[in-house]
Amino acid sequence: MMNTLATSKRLWCIAILLLTAQVAGAQSIYKCTRAGQVEYTDHPCPAGKGELIHQASDSEIIDQYLDLGQDALAKRYADSRHLGALYQQRLDAYQQRMDARAQQQADEALAAKQRSEDARQQALLDAAANHRRLRAENDALRQQNDQYRDQLAQPVYGEAPAYWGAAPPYWDHDHDHDHGPPPKPVFHPCTQLAGGRVQC
């Protein structure tokens, strides 16, 4: 049981180191034994003892140099091992990655600029629509106010104000009744509204 757990633990450590090597770039993994304890590291074991369980490939090493911006070191490494074709292949792949990244950034910047412009245009349209609405409301209020003034300018027939319970002074019960009944009192109660308007 203990041997199974220890083996599982070692395999788990190896898997983690291999994954780290793939993410970080060119890294070799060594299995070393120190004081009876097994450990895994990316550095060679002391005194050359231990076991190399993962050797970083030439492509990984060149890619790591290129990703770090160390083109000269990548070329020197390739030239020292007569890997000119591999270096050119990895350099072309690196350049393609950089071009794709730059294109993506440019597309994202253009999309952001377009969204900003669309928002600005929509804000202008909303402001213009609001201005037209306010102007129409103002014109309607002016027209209504003009109508109220026209109504107030109309002649009023009969005496105003009239008081119920009292006959008009011009009416005489003894007068000739051929003139018909007296005119009815006319009331024009008016109310002052906001904005200087008057409603009757």
Side-chain angles (χ1 to χ4, degrees), residues 72-84:
L73 291 178
K75 190 172 189 315
R76 186 184 307 168
Y77 176 87
D79 291 343
S80 66
R81 289 164 176 76
H82 307 288
L83 300 173

Side-chain angles (χ1 to χ4, degrees), residues 6-61:
T7 302
S8 299
K9 184 177 181 181
R10 284 197 295 270
L11 292 176
W12 177 249
C13 292
I14 293 173
I16 292 177
L17 287 172
L18 287 173
L19 180 62
T20 304
Q22 293 175 359
V23 173
Q27 290 184 353
S28 298
I29 300 177
Y30 299 86
K31 177 182 176 181
C32 305
T33 302
R34 294 182 182 179
Q37 298 291 328
V38 176
E39 63 179 20
Y40 298 90
T41 176
D42 58 349
H43 301 290
C45 301
K49 298 179 180 180
E51 178 185 356
L52 177 64
I53 62 175
H54 174 72
Q55 173 66 53
S57 67
D58 293 325
S59 295
E60 290 177 327
I61 295 174

Side-chain angles (χ1 to χ4, degrees), residues 11-159:
L11 292 176
W12 177 249
C13 292
I14 293 173
I16 292 177
L17 287 172
L18 287 173
L19 180 62
T20 304
Q22 293 175 359
V23 173
Q27 290 184 353
S28 298
I29 300 177
Y30 299 86
K31 177 182 176 181
C32 305
T33 302
R34 294 182 182 179
Q37 298 291 328
V38 176
E39 63 179 20
Y40 298 90
T41 176
D42 58 349
H43 301 290
C45 301
K49 298 179 180 180
E51 178 185 356
L52 177 64
I53 62 175
H54 174 72
Q55 173 66 53
S57 67
D58 293 325
S59 295
E60 290 177 327
I61 295 174
I62 294 174
D63 286 346
Q64 185 180 39
Y65 281 134
L66 293 175
D67 289 339
L68 293 175
Q70 299 174 341
D71 299 4
L73 291 178
K75 190 172 189 315
R76 186 184 307 168
Y77 176 87
D79 291 343
S80 66
R81 289 164 176 76
H82 307 288
L83 300 173
L86 178 62
Y87 167 77
Q88 189 61 47
Q89 177 189 6
R90 303 316 304 161
L91 181 62
D92 292 342
Y94 170 78
Q95 190 60 50
Q96 290 177 2
R97 291 198 305 274
M98 293 299 100
D99 291 345
R101 183 181 304 174
Q103 184 62 47
Q104 181 181 2
Q105 293 175 349
D107 292 342
E108 291 175 353
L110 182 61
K113 183 178 180 180
Q114 185 62 46
R115 288 194 298 270
S116 178
E117 179 63 20
D118 291 343
R120 190 182 72 86
Q121 291 294 335
Q122 187 60 47
L124 291 175
L125 292 175
D126 293 342
N130 188 52
H131 177 74
R132 289 193 299 270
R133 180 182 60 81
L134 293 176
R135 185 170 183 177
E137 291 178 357
N138 194 30
D139 292 341
L141 289 175
R142 282 202 185 100
Q143 185 178 5
Q144 189 177 15
N145 198 25
D146 292 340
Q147 292 175 354
Y148 289 149
R149 281 200 297 266
D150 291 341
Q151 291 176 3
L152 291 176
Q154 296 297 324
V156 178
Y157 299 97
E159 294 193 5

Side-chain angles (χ1 to χ4, degrees), residues 161-169 171 173 185 187:
Y163 300 93
W164 295 104
W171 180 251
H173 291 287
F187 292 89

